[in-house]
Structure formats: structure tokens, C-alpha cells
Amino acid sequence: MLLWIAIIIAVLWLLGLLANIGGGLIHILLVVAVIVLIIHFVQGRSRV
């Protein structure tokens, strides 16, 4: 779940960067995506 959120945020960041819109919001999205990825890898996969 967290991985998909990070991927979506990273894609939105890339689209915003290429379209040159959003200003500082684009970089905030990138930081959020990196934090979500770090949390995902630290927690690891839970075995259910």
C-alpha cells in the first residue's frame, strides 16, 4: 500500500516537474514519496 502511494506521488512529481507547474509543491511531493518509501522498506513485508 505504501509503495503504491510512493509511486503515485513520484509520478505526480515527475509530471509536475516536466510541465513546470506547482513550484515548491513539486519538491514537497518528492520528499513525501521518499519518506513513504523509507517507511515501507523499514517496516518490511508483514507475513499474514
Side-chain angles (χ1 to χ4, degrees), residues 17-35:
L17 187 64
L18 293 176
N20 200 17
I21 56 174
L25 180 64
I26 295 167
H27 300 292
I28 293 172
L29 285 174
L30 178 62
V31 170
V32 170
V34 169
I35 291 171

Side-chain angles (χ1 to χ4, degrees), residues 7-47:
I7 291 171
I8 291 170
I9 291 173
V11 168
L12 289 174
W13 169 79
L14 185 61
L15 288 173
L17 187 64
L18 293 176
N20 200 17
I21 56 174
L25 180 64
I26 295 167
H27 300 292
I28 293 172
L29 285 174
L30 178 62
V31 170
V32 170
V34 169
I35 291 171
V36 169
L37 278 174
I38 290 171
I39 291 172
H40 174 75
F41 288 120
V42 167
Q43 287 180 350
R45 290 192 169 219
S46 60
R47 298 178 188 258

